[in-house]
Amino acid sequence: MEKIKVITRLTNREMSAHDFINYCKNIVVNLKNIFSDLKMVSIWDDSTNSKFYFENNLANFSVQNLDKILIYNPEEDVFQNDNEQDKNLYENSKSWIGFNTLLYLSKDKSETSDLSINITQGASEKNKTALINIEFSDEFLKTLTKDFSIKLIESLEKSGDLVYAVVISNEFRRKVKTSGQNLWIGYLTYFQDKNIKIHLPDSVNSINYDKGILIDLGEKIEISDEAVNKAVTIRNILGDEALNYSS
């Protein structure tokens, strides 16, 4: 079974820890609004070595659980505060490299989560990568459809910062990647730049979103010679200018 995943790149925006938590909460709310069966939202709590489940209305997805939501090493990581000598993490702290979290969405409480969502955003330094990457459990992959994937990217676009997103597997990426490019054409590929459409041949299907465009290979989400050939053709047309990310 191909391990399909969603890889994105975002416009980086400087944030405080409080801002980042609200940002992540908004992403989760958008996902839950579209996929109402994904009711349970959790994170891994190192202090209890178990999952911590948020309330259904996400009322406790807030700075009260800052130490649970953010992934960091309190003994090594340093943060920016008004007091420049204080490098500890507080709700108004900022980060040179950005904040990071790993969230889980599932239909019910279980050891295996349906979606694992990694979010990195908010760096105060320029040219830092911001992203939302999503992986699926093996069981969920058995039922993953193209329609679900299209709606998933549509939901992520609501973050307001989505520059690029791709639904792809490592196997497919190996077949279509090329030197000099750090973005790839996958089964579904989103670009914020709608002008990309004018460069595509008429045979390539695309879907207009509010802020961007989604290129659809028109295949099932599985490797085939036709899908790879289409992806390589689009890759060659778009070239290095479109297939490079910088924050």
Side-chain angles (χ1 to χ4, degrees), residues 192-221:
Q192 187 182 58
D193 183 4
K194 286 189 175 184
N195 290 328
I196 279 177
K197 185 175 182 178
I198 64 178
H199 301 292
L200 301 175
D202 294 338
S203 58
V204 174
N205 185 41
S206 61
I207 303 168
N208 284 320
Y209 281 6
D210 286 344
K211 298 179 180 180
I213 187 172
L214 186 72
I215 299 172
D216 176 8
L217 294 187
E219 293 282 325
K220 295 180 179 179
I221 302 180

Short mmCIF file of all heavy atoms in Angstrom, two decimals, residues 192-221:
data_model
loop_
_atom_site.label_atom_id
_atom_site.label_comp_id
_atom_site.label_asym_id
_atom_site.label_seq_id
_atom_site.Cartn_x
_atom_site.Cartn_y
_atom_site.Cartn_z
N GLN A 192 -0.93 28.51 -5.19
CA GLN A 192 -1.62 29.76 -4.90
C GLN A 192 -1.73 30.63 -6.15
O GLN A 192 -2.68 31.40 -6.30
CB GLN A 192 -0.88 30.51 -3.79
CG GLN A 192 -1.57 31.75 -3.27
CD GLN A 192 -0.73 32.44 -2.21
OE1 GLN A 192 0.42 32.81 -2.47
NE2 GLN A 192 -1.27 32.58 -1.01
N ASP A 193 -0.77 30.51 -7.04
CA ASP A 193 -0.72 31.32 -8.27
C ASP A 193 -1.65 30.73 -9.32
O ASP A 193 -1.35 29.72 -9.96
CB ASP A 193 0.72 31.35 -8.80
CG ASP A 193 0.87 32.22 -10.03
OD1 ASP A 193 -0.13 32.87 -10.43
OD2 ASP A 193 1.98 32.26 -10.59
N LYS A 194 -2.79 31.36 -9.52
CA LYS A 194 -3.77 30.86 -10.50
C LYS A 194 -3.27 31.01 -11.94
O LYS A 194 -3.78 30.35 -12.84
CB LYS A 194 -5.10 31.59 -10.34
CG LYS A 194 -5.89 31.18 -9.10
CD LYS A 194 -7.29 31.79 -9.11
CE LYS A 194 -8.11 31.29 -7.94
NZ LYS A 194 -9.50 31.77 -7.97
N ASN A 195 -2.29 31.88 -12.16
CA ASN A 195 -1.76 32.07 -13.51
C ASN A 195 -1.06 30.83 -14.05
O ASN A 195 -0.80 30.74 -15.26
CB ASN A 195 -0.80 33.26 -13.54
CG ASN A 195 -1.50 34.59 -13.35
OD1 ASN A 195 -2.66 34.74 -13.77
ND2 ASN A 195 -0.84 35.54 -12.72
N ILE A 196 -0.75 29.90 -13.16
CA ILE A 196 -0.13 28.65 -13.61
C ILE A 196 -1.02 27.94 -14.63
O ILE A 196 -0.53 27.26 -15.54
CB ILE A 196 0.17 27.75 -12.39
CG1 ILE A 196 1.48 28.20 -11.73
CG2 ILE A 196 0.24 26.27 -12.75
CD1 ILE A 196 1.85 27.47 -10.49
N LYS A 197 -2.32 28.13 -14.50
CA LYS A 197 -3.26 27.44 -15.39
C LYS A 197 -3.02 27.74 -16.87
O LYS A 197 -3.19 26.87 -17.72
CB LYS A 197 -4.69 27.81 -15.01
CG LYS A 197 -5.76 27.06 -15.79
CD LYS A 197 -7.16 27.37 -15.29
CE LYS A 197 -8.20 26.58 -16.05
NZ LYS A 197 -9.57 26.82 -15.54
N ILE A 198 -2.58 28.96 -17.17
CA ILE A 198 -2.44 29.34 -18.59
C ILE A 198 -1.29 28.59 -19.24
O ILE A 198 -1.21 28.52 -20.48
CB ILE A 198 -2.23 30.86 -18.75
CG1 ILE A 198 -0.91 31.30 -18.11
CG2 ILE A 198 -3.40 31.62 -18.15
CD1 ILE A 198 -0.61 32.78 -18.28
N HIS A 199 -0.39 28.01 -18.44
CA HIS A 199 0.74 27.28 -19.00
C HIS A 199 0.41 25.79 -19.22
O HIS A 199 1.20 25.10 -19.87
CB HIS A 199 1.95 27.39 -18.06
CG HIS A 199 2.38 28.79 -17.81
ND1 HIS A 199 2.95 29.60 -18.78
CD2 HIS A 199 2.32 29.55 -16.68
CE1 HIS A 199 3.22 30.78 -18.27
NE2 HIS A 199 2.86 30.78 -17.00
N LEU A 200 -0.71 25.34 -18.69
CA LEU A 200 -1.04 23.92 -18.75
C LEU A 200 -1.77 23.57 -20.05
O LEU A 200 -2.58 24.37 -20.55
CB LEU A 200 -1.92 23.54 -17.57
CG LEU A 200 -1.33 23.77 -16.17
CD1 LEU A 200 -2.37 23.45 -15.10
CD2 LEU A 200 -0.07 22.94 -15.97
N PRO A 201 -1.51 22.39 -20.59
CA PRO A 201 -2.26 21.96 -21.78
C PRO A 201 -3.73 21.73 -21.45
O PRO A 201 -4.09 21.49 -20.29
CB PRO A 201 -1.57 20.65 -22.18
CG PRO A 201 -0.87 20.18 -20.95
CD PRO A 201 -0.50 21.40 -20.17
N ASP A 202 -4.59 21.82 -22.45
CA ASP A 202 -6.04 21.67 -22.24
C ASP A 202 -6.39 20.29 -21.67
O ASP A 202 -7.44 20.13 -21.05
CB ASP A 202 -6.79 21.88 -23.56
CG ASP A 202 -6.68 23.32 -24.05
OD1 ASP A 202 -6.41 24.21 -23.21
OD2 ASP A 202 -6.85 23.55 -25.26
N SER A 203 -5.53 19.33 -21.89
CA SER A 203 -5.82 17.96 -21.43
C SER A 203 -5.65 17.79 -19.92
O SER A 203 -6.06 16.78 -19.35
CB SER A 203 -4.90 16.96 -22.15
OG SER A 203 -3.54 17.27 -21.91
N VAL A 204 -5.06 18.79 -19.27
CA VAL A 204 -4.83 18.71 -17.82
C VAL A 204 -6.01 19.35 -17.09
O VAL A 204 -6.35 20.51 -17.32
CB VAL A 204 -3.52 19.42 -17.42
CG1 VAL A 204 -3.38 19.46 -15.90
CG2 VAL A 204 -2.33 18.72 -18.05
N ASN A 205 -6.63 18.57 -16.21
CA ASN A 205 -7.78 19.06 -15.46
C ASN A 205 -7.32 19.91 -14.28
O ASN A 205 -6.33 19.60 -13.62
CB ASN A 205 -8.59 17.87 -14.94
CG ASN A 205 -9.87 18.32 -14.25
OD1 ASN A 205 -10.54 19.24 -14.72
ND2 ASN A 205 -10.21 17.67 -13.15
N SER A 206 -8.04 21.00 -14.02
CA SER A 206 -7.73 21.84 -12.87
C SER A 206 -9.02 22.32 -12.22
O SER A 206 -10.06 22.41 -12.87
CB SER A 206 -6.86 23.04 -13.28
OG SER A 206 -7.55 23.85 -14.21
N ILE A 207 -8.93 22.63 -10.93
CA ILE A 207 -10.08 23.07 -10.15
C ILE A 207 -9.73 24.42 -9.53
O ILE A 207 -8.67 24.58 -8.90
CB ILE A 207 -10.40 22.07 -9.02
CG1 ILE A 207 -10.67 20.67 -9.61
CG2 ILE A 207 -11.58 22.54 -8.18
CD1 ILE A 207 -10.72 19.58 -8.56
N ASN A 208 -10.60 25.40 -9.70
CA ASN A 208 -10.37 26.71 -9.11
C ASN A 208 -10.84 26.72 -7.66
O ASN A 208 -11.97 26.32 -7.36
CB ASN A 208 -11.11 27.80 -9.89
CG ASN A 208 -10.42 28.14 -11.20
OD1 ASN A 208 -9.19 28.20 -11.27
ND2 ASN A 208 -11.19 28.35 -12.25
N TYR A 209 -9.97 27.17 -6.76
CA TYR A 209 -10.31 27.39 -5.37
C TYR A 209 -10.45 28.89 -5.15
O TYR A 209 -10.26 29.69 -6.07
CB TYR A 209 -9.22 26.83 -4.45
CG TYR A 209 -9.27 25.34 -4.23
CD1 TYR A 209 -10.15 24.52 -4.91
CD2 TYR A 209 -8.40 24.73 -3.33
CE1 TYR A 209 -10.18 23.16 -4.69
CE2 TYR A 209 -8.41 23.36 -3.10
CZ TYR A 209 -9.31 22.58 -3.80
OH TYR A 209 -9.33 21.23 -3.58
N ASP A 210 -10.78 29.28 -3.93
CA ASP A 210 -10.95 30.70 -3.64
C ASP A 210 -9.69 31.50 -3.97
O ASP A 210 -9.76 32.56 -4.58
CB ASP A 210 -11.29 30.91 -2.15
CG ASP A 210 -12.72 30.50 -1.83
OD1 ASP A 210 -13.51 30.35 -2.78
OD2 ASP A 210 -13.03 30.32 -0.64
N LYS A 211 -8.53 30.95 -3.57
CA LYS A 211 -7.29 31.72 -3.71
C LYS A 211 -6.29 31.09 -4.67
O LYS A 211 -5.31 31.73 -5.02
CB LYS A 211 -6.63 31.88 -2.33
CG LYS A 211 -7.49 32.64 -1.34
CD LYS A 211 -6.80 32.76 0.01
CE LYS A 211 -7.66 33.53 0.99
NZ LYS A 211 -7.02 33.65 2.33
N GLY A 212 -6.50 29.85 -5.06
CA GLY A 212 -5.51 29.17 -5.89
C GLY A 212 -6.15 28.20 -6.86
O GLY A 212 -7.34 28.25 -7.13
N ILE A 213 -5.31 27.31 -7.35
CA ILE A 213 -5.75 26.34 -8.36
C ILE A 213 -5.23 24.96 -7.96
O ILE A 213 -4.13 24.82 -7.44
CB ILE A 213 -5.21 26.75 -9.76
CG1 ILE A 213 -5.80 25.84 -10.84
CG2 ILE A 213 -3.71 26.77 -9.80
CD1 ILE A 213 -5.46 26.31 -12.24
N LEU A 214 -6.04 23.93 -8.23
CA LEU A 214 -5.67 22.55 -7.92
C LEU A 214 -5.55 21.77 -9.22
O LEU A 214 -6.51 21.68 -9.99
CB LEU A 214 -6.71 21.90 -7.02
CG LEU A 214 -6.37 20.50 -6.51
CD1 LEU A 214 -5.26 20.59 -5.47
CD2 LEU A 214 -7.60 19.83 -5.89
N ILE A 215 -4.37 21.23 -9.48
CA ILE A 215 -4.15 20.41 -10.66
C ILE A 215 -4.47 18.96 -10.32
O ILE A 215 -3.96 18.40 -9.35
CB ILE A 215 -2.69 20.52 -11.15
CG1 ILE A 215 -2.37 21.97 -11.53
CG2 ILE A 215 -2.43 19.60 -12.34
CD1 ILE A 215 -0.90 22.20 -11.83
N ASP A 216 -5.33 18.36 -11.12
CA ASP A 216 -5.83 17.00 -10.88
C ASP A 216 -5.39 16.11 -12.04
O ASP A 216 -5.75 16.34 -13.19
CB ASP A 216 -7.36 17.05 -10.78
CG ASP A 216 -8.01 15.68 -10.63
OD1 ASP A 216 -7.28 14.69 -10.46
OD2 ASP A 216 -9.25 15.62 -10.69
N LEU A 217 -4.60 15.10 -11.73
CA LEU A 217 -4.11 14.21 -12.80
C LEU A 217 -5.22 13.36 -13.41
O LEU A 217 -5.03 12.74 -14.44
CB LEU A 217 -3.01 13.28 -12.25
CG LEU A 217 -1.71 13.94 -11.81
CD1 LEU A 217 -0.68 12.87 -11.45
CD2 LEU A 217 -1.15 14.88 -12.87
N GLY A 218 -6.38 13.35 -12.76
CA GLY A 218 -7.51 12.62 -13.32
C GLY A 218 -7.40 11.13 -13.16
O GLY A 218 -8.04 10.36 -13.87
N GLU A 219 -6.58 10.68 -12.22
CA GLU A 219 -6.37 9.26 -11.98
C GLU A 219 -6.80 8.94 -10.55
O GLU A 219 -7.00 9.82 -9.73
CB GLU A 219 -4.88 8.92 -12.13
CG GLU A 219 -4.35 9.05 -13.53
CD GLU A 219 -4.74 7.87 -14.40
OE1 GLU A 219 -4.80 6.74 -13.88
OE2 GLU A 219 -4.99 8.09 -15.59
N LYS A 220 -6.92 7.66 -10.28
CA LYS A 220 -7.06 7.25 -8.90
C LYS A 220 -5.77 7.61 -8.17
O LYS A 220 -4.72 7.83 -8.78
CB LYS A 220 -7.29 5.74 -8.80
CG LYS A 220 -8.60 5.26 -9.40
CD LYS A 220 -8.73 3.76 -9.27
CE LYS A 220 -10.05 3.28 -9.85
NZ LYS A 220 -10.19 1.79 -9.75
N ILE A 221 -5.83 7.68 -6.86
CA ILE A 221 -4.65 8.02 -6.09
C ILE A 221 -3.80 6.76 -5.93
O ILE A 221 -3.74 6.12 -4.88
CB ILE A 221 -5.04 8.63 -4.73
CG1 ILE A 221 -5.90 9.87 -4.95
CG2 ILE A 221 -3.79 9.03 -3.94
CD1 ILE A 221 -6.34 10.55 -3.68
#
